[in-house]
């Protein structure tokens, strides 16, 4: 059967690594993101790696008008439609403290924008009765903390949305995977102090494909973050509120 | 673009840098990166052994995230790629479709940019020449922030200064490569024991194989000097198949220096030699394992311990080969430093740049653990190389003097003219360029 992956936030290195793997696996690829020139290169890369077709379309989480083209392109693809959402933005918490209006954009990029797009694609996927949604959240969404709680709360909202979407789409044979990456070696983390056990985007992409195959609901990547977050989430609030992590 | 303060080393783990490094992922970020800083050095995957990729004079720019395939013509095998892509990746993707990079060095981790900047060679140099000869054109982002496509027809001088130019002319962002047909993903490899150096050279001269490489036991002395194994290979008759990613192992910790001490290397070398039966053998080997034997262990360089190692590689002209190689091997076997890895290869004339390494003759590469006596041995080796009208390879070097380099590379004047014209402010500069005065202005 024809398989298509819609990859949202396609200029990130995690998305690029994922796009390559599904392309080599023979899937059609629809790349959506803001830097069209960059995505055109990735589109060609996907075609040359084995994607029977690849497209690059504009997507801006803050401009719902840009979602139309993705929905139109998705509807004309035969067979199984899959979506992987890699978008999100993480301004420095100090920048947000100076300018609280940045909160809106962070939430649009990391939560409401992708949620709206998924909501518009959901009926099509239900109709096809197959396929997978991968939503990339973050371990930052598991507990609010000093250094990035605006980004964290946006991702927490996205996690809850994905759980609900899983509940809905599961009834028609569509699976939803929630992904919580720890530190991944991307442009977002390059040069930030305090990074440890950083995972390569390629190994994250492998984890995603494994989770799709095994129909996992929520995965941490790399896997040990499940245990790190288990500990962090179990620190009593009266202690946690005094910590600086 | 965020900068990351990073400490890193050349592959030999001797020469190091501690500087700010950017790792752009998009083409649109490049121009600003280049124009915004005073001094910068493009860095591939840091497989050069000495200081060719060491940025002590400025910032660094890692190209590894700009590694996409841009275009491919399946009729002619013409492939356009971003320069950060690794040669092993090209081989993995295209060998099953019947194409391979025309030239690959001993590791698949080398980026296309690095392969051009060092004009690398492989086991087929005697027939197919150097990597740069198969580059049709490349896009160079120069100090002024402009990108220009250069080739043998367009700005030929700058093209020849860029190939083998160790990153001094600008940032190579993409290149068009002529791939070679690859009839199989399996190589048929013949291995034979060779008794001594003279036999080795004779065996190379008698061989008609498209791929050849010799391993030498550097601990052998006297009549056994230069004994080893000659590998000759050609494509097997088996049809092309999918190449699995080579399973790599890594070294969990830096082992103590004695891991490559005399007695251990002696045992290793003896076992390695006896791996091949007295009468030789022919085996089939997957193409990637044949071309990239060392990539099985992703960080084998750490075997040499914290102090690291140097790799010495020179090429001697044909008529001096036997005498010169024998002098070089005597220095190593008398020097009391055990080297488990010494490689001998025949070279043809093929070279593509002013500072390209190859010349027709024989090339010898030897790993030397970094010990107290190593600098003296390296200096003796360089002197013998020069005496025999040979040349030392910049991709490996971390020790030679600037005067010797100027004498070994007769076209260095043309290189200097081009590089100083395109980058008068010395924006692109490496520790090596400074140490060897490659630009000729100190």
């Amino acid at each position: 059967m024809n398989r298509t992956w819609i990859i949202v936030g396609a200029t990130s290195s995690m998305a690029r690594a994922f796009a390559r793997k599904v392309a080599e696996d023979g899937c059609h690829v629809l790349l959506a993101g803001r830097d069209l020139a960059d995505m055109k290169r990735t589109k060609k890369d996907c075609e040359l790696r084995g994607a029977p077709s690849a497209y690059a379309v504009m997507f801006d989480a803050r401009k719902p008008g840009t979602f139309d083209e993705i929905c139109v392109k998705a509807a004309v693809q035969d067979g199984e439609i899959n979506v992987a959402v890699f978008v999100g933005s993480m301004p420095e918490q100090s920048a947000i403290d100076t300018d609280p209006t940045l909160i809106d954009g962070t939430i649009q990029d990391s939560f409401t924008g992708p949620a709206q797009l998924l909501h518009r694609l959901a009926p099509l996927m239900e109709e096809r009765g197959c396929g997978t949604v991968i939503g990339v959240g973050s371990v930052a969404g598991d507990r609010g903390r000093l250094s990035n709680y605006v980004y964290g709360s946006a991702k927490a909202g996205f996690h809850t949305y994905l759980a609900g979407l899983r509940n809905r789409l599961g009834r028609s044979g569509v699976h939803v995977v929630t992904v919580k990456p720890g530190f991944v070696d991307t442009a977002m983390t390059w040069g930030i102090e305090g990074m440890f056990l950083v995972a390569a985007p390629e190994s994250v992409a492998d984890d995603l494909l494994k989770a799709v195959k095994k129909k996992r609901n929520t995965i941490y990547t790399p896997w040990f973050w499940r245990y790190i977050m288990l500990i962090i989430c179990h620190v009593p609030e009266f202690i946690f509120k005094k910590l600086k992590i | 673009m965020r900068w990351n303060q990073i400490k890193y080393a050349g592959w030999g783990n001797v020469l190091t840098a501690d500087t700010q490094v950017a790792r752009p992922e998009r083409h649109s970020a490049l121009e600003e990166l280049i124009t915004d800083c005073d001094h910068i050095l493009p860095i591939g995957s840091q497989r050069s052994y000495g200081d060719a990729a060491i940025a002590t004079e400025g910032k660094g720019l890692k190209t590894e995230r700009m590694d996409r395939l841009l275009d491919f013509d399946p009729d002619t095998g013409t492939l356009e790629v971003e320069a950060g892509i690794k040669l092993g990746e090209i081989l993995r993707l295209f060998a099953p479709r019947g194409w391979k990079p025309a030239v690959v060095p001993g590791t698949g981790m080398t980026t296309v940019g690095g392969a051009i900047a060092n004009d690398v060679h492989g086991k087929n140099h005697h027939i197919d020449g150097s990597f740069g000869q198969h580059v049709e054109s490349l896009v160079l982002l120069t100090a002024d922030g402009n990108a220009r496509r250069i080739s043998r027809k367009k700005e030929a001088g700058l093209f020849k200064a860029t190939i083998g130019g160790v990153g001094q002319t600008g940032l190579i962002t993409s290149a068009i490569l002529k791939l070679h047909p690859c009839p199989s993903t399996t190589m048929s490899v013949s291995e034979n024991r060779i008794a001594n150096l003279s036999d080795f050279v004779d065996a190379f001269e008698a061989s008609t194989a498209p791929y050849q490489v010799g391993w030498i036991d550097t601990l052998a002395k006297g009549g056994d000097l230069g004994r080893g194994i000659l590998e000759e290979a050609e494509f097997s008759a088996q049809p092309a198949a999918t190449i699995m990613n080579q399973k790599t192992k890594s070294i969990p910790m830096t082992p103590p220096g004695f891991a490559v001490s005399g007695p251990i290397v002696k045992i290793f070398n003896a076992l390695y030699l006896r791996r091949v039966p007295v009468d030789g053998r022919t085996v089939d080997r997957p193409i990637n394992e044949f071309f990239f034997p060392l990539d099985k262990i992703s960080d084998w360089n750490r075997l040499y311990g914290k102090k690291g190692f140097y790799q010495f590689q020179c090429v001697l002209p044909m008529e001096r080969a036997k005498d010169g190689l024998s002098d070089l091997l005597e220095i190593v076997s008398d020097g009391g430093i055990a080297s488990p890895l010494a490689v001998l290869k025949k070279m043809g004339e093929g070279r593509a740049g002013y500072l390209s390494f190859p010349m027709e003759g024989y090339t010898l590469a030897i790993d030397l653990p970094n010990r107290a006596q190593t600098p003296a041995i390296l200096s003796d080796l360089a002197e013998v190389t020069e005496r025999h009208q040979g040349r030392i390879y910049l991709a490996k070097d971390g020790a030679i003097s600037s005067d010797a380099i100027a004498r070994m590379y007769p076209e260095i004047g043309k290189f200097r003219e081009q590089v100083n014209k395109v980058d008068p402010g010395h924006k692109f500069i490496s520790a090596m360029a400074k140490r060897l005065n490659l630009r000729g202005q100190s």
Side-chain angles (χ1 to χ4, degrees):
Chain A
M1 184 172 52
N2 236 354
R3 289 177 297 154
T4 302
W5 274 98
I6 303 170
I7 296 170
V8 188
T11 45
S12 84
S13 44
M14 234 188 290
R16 232 190 243 176
F18 183 79
R20 285 178 166 182
K21 287 192 197 275
V22 294
E24 284 184 36
D25 201 25
C27 299
H28 298 265
V29 174
L30 174 57
L31 305 160
R34 273 189 300 180
D35 187 339
L36 209 54
D38 181 74
M39 283 191 301
K40 279 188 178 153
R41 287 181 167 228
T42 306
K43 162 189 139 68
K44 201 72 203 179
D45 188 54
C46 288
E47 284 169 356
L48 292 171
R49 279 167 195 265
S53 77
Y55 305 94
V57 298
M58 187 68 184
F59 165 85
D60 186 336
R62 302 183 192 187
K63 294 179 188 148
T66 62
F67 304 173
D68 298 350
E69 197 184 351
I70 301 173
C71 297
V72 170
K73 279 251 161 47
V76 297
Q77 288 282 344
D78 289 334
E80 184 184 288
I81 304 291
N82 305 274
V83 191
V85 176
F86 292 90
V87 289
S89 65
M90 187 174 69
E92 298 277 341
Q93 188 69 41
S94 57
I96 296 176
D97 296 343
T98 330
D99 179 9
T101 59
L102 290 176
I103 292 177
D104 283 347
T106 308
I107 289 175
Q108 275 178 315
D109 291 341
S110 312
F111 173 24
T112 54
Q116 269 192 51
L117 175 67
L118 288 174
H119 230 77
R120 289 181 58 176
L121 289 168
L124 177 69
M125 297 182 76
E126 281 174 322
E127 185 194 307
R128 304 273 167 104
C130 57
T132 303
V133 173
I134 296 178
V136 176
S138 170
V139 294
D142 279 4
R143 193 163 191 180
R145 53 198 181 84
L146 193 62
S147 57
N148 62 3
Y149 58 93
V150 170
Y151 174 71
S153 56
K155 287 293 191 184
F158 192 46
H159 295 163
T160 308
Y161 173 81
L162 291 168
L165 191 66
R166 175 157 48 239
N167 203 216
R168 166 182 167 187
L169 296 183
R171 285 154 216 275
S172 25
V174 179
H175 183 61
V176 178
V177 185
T178 306
V179 182
K180 298 181 183 177
F183 297 143
V184 184
D185 192 8
T186 62
M188 206 195 244
T189 57
W190 179 255
I192 290 188
E193 272 180 49
M195 290 289 138
F196 59 93
L197 299 169
V198 179
E202 290 75 22
S203 74
V204 171
D206 282 334
D207 284 355
L208 299 191
L209 288 172
K210 223 184 285 168
V212 170
K213 217 171 173 182
K214 291 186 172 172
K215 291 199 181 295
R216 300 279 303 274
N217 296 319
T218 300
I219 63 157
Y220 287 81
T221 171
W223 58 272
F224 52 78
W225 278 92
R226 178 178 293 276
Y227 301 97
I228 296 177
M229 294 320 293
L230 191 72
I231 296 166
I232 289 181
C233 289
H234 279 81
V235 177
E237 190 69 17
F238 70 89
I239 298 174
F240 195 79
K241 70 181 183 188
K242 291 176 187 153
L243 296 179
K244 250 186 155 177
I245 54 172
Chain B
M1 179 57 57
R2 215 181 282 126
W3 297 90
N4 196 356
Q5 187 76 25
I6 295 182
K7 280 184 197 156
Y8 70 95
W11 189 243
N13 278 327
V14 177
L15 301 166
T16 58
D18 184 351
T19 189
Q20 291 199 312
V21 178
R23 188 185 59 188
E25 292 181 348
R26 302 186 207 179
H27 201 259
S28 56
L30 294 177
E31 188 191 322
E32 197 184 310
L33 263 178
I34 300 289
T35 45
D36 275 4
C37 53
D38 296 334
H39 298 292
I40 193 157
L41 179 69
I43 305 169
S45 43
Q46 293 144 270
R47 256 29 187 210
S48 53
Y49 287 67
D51 50 4
I54 296 294
T56 45
E57 307 299 320
K59 296 178 175 181
L61 192 162
K62 271 176 96 78
T63 61
E64 63 185 5
R65 287 286 163 98
M66 313 225 20
D67 63 345
R68 287 170 287 194
L69 306 170
L70 298 176
D71 207 359
F72 179 62
D73 180 346
D75 294 330
T76 59
T78 309
L79 174 71
E80 183 172 15
V81 290
E82 289 183 331
I85 194 170
K86 295 182 170 78
L87 295 179
E89 178 78 346
I90 297 179
L91 185 72
R92 180 183 74 83
L93 290 166
F94 286 91
R97 305 183 207 174
W99 296 98
K100 67 177 270 290
V103 169
V104 292
T107 169
M109 300 303 286
T110 310
T111 62
V112 164
I116 295 171
N118 292 280
D119 197 15
V120 300
H121 56 270
K123 298 176 174 77
N124 55 347
H125 187 271
H126 59 295
I127 292 175
D128 294 320
S130 69
F131 189 88
Q133 291 180 278
H134 307 277
V135 177
E136 209 169 75
S137 70
L138 59 87
V139 175
L140 187 71
L141 190 56
T142 46
D144 53 15
N146 289 325
R148 47 177 115 184
R149 182 171 290 282
I150 57 174
S151 65
R152 272 169 206 88
K153 290 182 190 125
K154 203 172 160 224
E155 300 196 77
L158 184 58
F159 189 65
K160 285 184 87 172
T162 301
I163 297 176
V166 281
Q168 299 304 295
T169 56
L171 173 71
I172 301 166
T173 61
S174 65
I176 296 179
L177 312 176
K178 292 289 267 187
L179 301 186
H180 269 192
C182 180
S184 175
T185 48
T186 308
M187 302 297 288
S188 172
V189 186
S190 299
E191 297 172 312
N192 284 292
R193 289 199 204 173
I194 306 288
N196 57 49
L197 185 62
S198 175
D199 285 6
F200 230 134
V201 171
D202 294 343
F204 269 115
E205 291 304 318
S207 172
T208 53
Y211 298 91
Q212 324 165 326
V213 64
W215 169 82
I216 286 182
D217 176 4
T218 55
L219 294 174
K221 292 188 183 196
D224 292 334
L225 190 78
R227 82 169 163 213
I229 298 167
L230 175 65
E231 278 187 22
E232 296 162 276
E234 56 188 16
F235 286 101
S236 142
Q238 293 183 34
T242 307
I243 295 183
M244 300 312 286
N245 267 328
Q246 201 171 352
K247 283 216 171 88
T248 56
K249 295 191 172 79
S250 59
I251 296 168
M253 49 174 272
T254 304
F258 64 76
V260 284
S261 63
I264 290 178
V265 172
K266 202 163 187 172
I267 294 166
F268 170 85
N269 283 6
L271 290 174
Y272 197 84
L273 195 66
R274 277 165 192 77
R275 198 174 53 96
V276 174
V278 181
D279 301 333
R281 65 172 180 187
T282 300
V283 290
D284 273 353
R285 214 164 274 164
I287 191 169
N288 50 334
E289 284 179 31
F290 170 73
F291 283 120
F292 313 131
L294 293 171
D295 290 353
K296 277 184 194 168
I297 302 173
S298 59
D299 48 2
W300 61 267
N301 56 337
R302 291 174 66 200
L303 285 171
Y304 287 95
K306 280 188 182 138
K307 285 187 176 166
F309 68 106
Y310 287 90
Q311 186 172 90
F312 169 83
Q313 183 171 359
C314 70
V315 56
L316 301 178
M318 203 57 93
E319 63 279 10
R320 308 296 285 262
K322 277 191 186 178
D323 287 351
L325 291 170
S326 145
D327 291 351
L328 292 168
L329 287 172
E330 267 168 25
I331 293 174
V332 176
S333 70
D334 293 345
I337 290 190
S339 166
L341 196 83
V343 172
L344 181 66
K345 238 210 72 57
K346 185 181 172 180
M347 286 196 133
E349 295 175 337
R351 53 197 310 215
Y354 296 132
L355 292 190
S356 287
F357 168 67
M359 68 164 84
E360 190 170 19
Y362 279 81
T363 176
L364 178 70
I366 308 172
D367 279 3
L368 296 166
N370 184 19
R371 306 269 158 75
Q373 67 271 45
T374 309
I377 294 175
L378 285 168
S379 141
D380 289 350
L381 291 171
E383 198 188 303
V384 170
T385 303
E386 215 187 324
R387 179 147 45 85
H388 290 282
Q389 290 146 33
R391 180 180 295 151
I392 282 173
Y393 193 8
L394 294 180
K396 310 293 179 77
D397 179 60
I400 202 188
S401 74
S402 58
D403 294 347
I405 280 293
R407 290 192 295 266
M408 288 173 177
Y409 286 85
E411 289 186 301
I412 198 167
K414 290 179 188 165
F415 170 78
R416 287 173 173 167
E417 191 186 312
Q418 288 292 336
V419 77
N420 291 323
K421 191 170 80 189
V422 74
D423 180 17
H426 294 197
K427 180 173 290 244
F428 292 93
I429 186 89
S430 62
M432 167 173 274
K434 185 99 175 165
R435 175 173 63 86
L436 297 179
N437 187 26
L438 291 182
R439 285 161 175 265
Q441 291 184 343
S442 64

